[in-house]
């Protein structure tokens, strides 16, 4: 069990402690040699530099150490500044999902479990989560956002004369997965439970804005038929959602297709189950259940 927010949020207390320690250390490194020279015999240091004797060599050594320590302090301060800047830039990136009050369960379905039973297991798990006090939505997908490239498959748009062989991200989800993750609908509609029962016909497909820009520039994708990515089957686009950081947070948005798990003739053994709560901390909700 893990709270999505905990996995994606920086520990500011640890970060602040590290920054304070770095600033104090750099300040001490820069000031200590100057204080030592100020408290020493300045006339003796000047005389030693003139005679070039043993003391003079010691003075030159002290001067070299001061220069090295100041340079080190500057490097540390610059590194701390770059770290703060990098963290700020990462937090400015919109991942396309809302991780507040979202809990995550990683489950592994038994190898001997047959595909129909796997469909049923996903239904039972998500339904059970929605019965818990404070849980508003629950869903599952074979791979969660910001988890690496994961699953990709070829895409073909019906009626496209180019016939270019390309691939997109493919995500097999339960009906409420997108709402649970806070993904926003831009056009069309989201999945419903009714889409599960009609998956034997032409399956519904939800695409992201990046896919629309690449394959449907200047046209409305709703109602268009595209390949599911498995065999030669086609599905119909029923909705468009915002771009999500499917692979890495810093990657540019990539085209993605979302389909119900029942769309394909198999279910991946590893599944990411997510649930959203209205108020309670997701990490403690299951402990108290």
């Amino acid at each position: 069990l893990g709270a999505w927010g905990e996995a994606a949020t920086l520990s500011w207390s640890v970060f602040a402690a590290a920054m304070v320690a770095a600033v104090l250390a750099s300040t001490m490194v820069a000031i200590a040699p100057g204080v030592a020279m100020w408290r020493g015999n300045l006339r003796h240091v000047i005389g030693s530099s003139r005679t070039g004797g043993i003391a003079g060599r010691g003075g030159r050594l002290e001067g070299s150490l001061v220069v090295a320590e100041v340079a080190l302090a500057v490097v540390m301060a610059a590194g701390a500044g770059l770290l703060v800047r990098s963290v700020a830039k990462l937090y400015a990136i919109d991942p396309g999902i809302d991780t507040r009050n979202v809990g995550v369960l990683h489950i592994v379905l038994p190898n001997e479990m047959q595909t129909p039973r796997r469909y049923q297991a996903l239904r039972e798990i998500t339904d059970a989560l929605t019965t818990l006090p404070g849980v508003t939505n629950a869903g599952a997908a074979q791979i969660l956002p910001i988890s690496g490239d994961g699953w990709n498959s070829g895409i073909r748009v019906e009626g496209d004369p180019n016939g270019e062989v390309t691939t997109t991200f493919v995500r097999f989800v339960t009906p409420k997965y997108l709402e649970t993750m806070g993904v926003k609908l831009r056009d069309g509609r989201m999945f419903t439970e009714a889409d599960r029962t009609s998956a034997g016909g032409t399956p519904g497909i939800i695409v992201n804005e990046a896919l629309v820009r690449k394959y449907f520039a200047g046209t409305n994708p709703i109602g268009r038929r595209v390949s599911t990515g498995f065999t030669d089957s086609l599905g119909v686009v029923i909705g468009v959602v915002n771009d999500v950081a499917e692979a890495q947070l810093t990657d540019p948005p990539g085209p993605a297709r979302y389909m119900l798990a029942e769309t394909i003739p198999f279910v991946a053994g590893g599944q990411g189950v997510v649930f959203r709560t209205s108020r309670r901390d997701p990490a403690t909700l299951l402990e108290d259940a």
Side-chain angles (χ1 to χ4, degrees):
L1 168 66
W4 190 285
E6 292 176 359
T9 302
L10 177 69
S11 175
W12 286 107
S13 59
V14 175
F15 177 76
M19 289 298 299
V20 170
V23 171
L24 290 177
S26 60
T27 302
M28 292 178 62
V29 168
I31 293 178
V35 173
M37 292 183 67
W38 177 72
R39 295 180 61 184
N41 189 329
L42 183 59
R43 179 180 298 176
H44 176 70
V45 172
I46 294 174
S48 299
S49 64
R50 286 180 179 177
T51 60
I54 297 175
R57 291 195 295 271
R60 287 194 296 272
L61 178 60
E62 287 184 356
S64 299
L65 289 174
V66 170
V67 172
E69 290 168 348
V70 170
L72 179 61
V74 171
V75 171
M76 293 176 63
L82 289 174
L83 175 62
V84 172
R85 184 178 179 183
S86 298
V87 171
K89 284 188 174 182
L90 287 175
Y91 268 84
I93 298 175
D94 181 11
I97 54 177
D98 183 5
T99 61
R100 294 170 296 180
N101 295 332
V102 173
V104 178
L105 288 166
H106 292 285
I107 65 172
V108 178
L109 301 175
N111 290 332
E112 62 274 12
M113 182 179 288
Q114 299 298 313
T115 298
R117 181 66 183 94
R118 291 190 175 194
Y119 293 148
Q120 183 182 354
L122 290 179
R123 292 192 190 96
E124 292 173 351
I125 292 171
T126 53
D127 289 347
L129 285 170
T130 56
T131 63
L132 295 178
V135 174
T136 57
N137 272 321
Q142 93 279 20
I143 184 170
L144 298 179
I146 321 178
S147 300
D149 291 345
W151 296 48
N152 295 267
S153 187
I155 184 172
R156 176 172 56 89
V157 178
E158 187 178 52
D160 182 5
N162 297 325
E164 182 183 1
V165 179
T166 55
T167 62
T168 76
F169 293 123
V170 288
R171 301 293 183 254
F172 303 105
V173 302
T174 57
K176 292 297 182 181
Y177 167 78
L178 293 171
E179 291 96 328
T180 304
M181 296 299 292
V183 180
K184 304 301 182 183
L185 182 67
R186 301 303 192 203
D187 194 10
R189 65 176 179 87
M190 292 290 201
F191 293 120
T192 66
E193 288 293 332
D195 292 314
R196 272 178 161 165
T197 59
S198 62
T202 302
I205 298 177
I206 294 177
V207 299
N208 68 349
E209 292 176 302
L211 188 145
V212 174
R213 289 192 296 269
K214 184 171 182 178
Y215 299 99
F216 297 100
T219 63
N220 185 358
I222 303 300
R224 294 289 299 275
R225 290 160 63 91
V226 299
S227 59
T228 62
F230 293 86
T231 67
D232 294 327
S233 63
L234 293 174
V236 59
V237 177
I238 63 172
V240 178
V241 295
N242 65 268
D243 295 329
V244 173
E246 293 289 352
Q248 305 296 331
L249 181 62
T250 54
D251 289 347
R257 285 167 288 172
Y258 300 93
M259 292 169 278
L260 291 181
E262 288 85 350
T263 300
I264 59 175
F266 69 92
V267 178
Q271 295 284 330
V273 179
V274 292
F275 61 96
R276 180 175 293 277
T277 65
S278 55
R279 294 179 303 275
R280 295 189 60 186
D281 178 13
T284 61
L285 186 144
L286 292 183
E287 296 176 1
D288 298 337

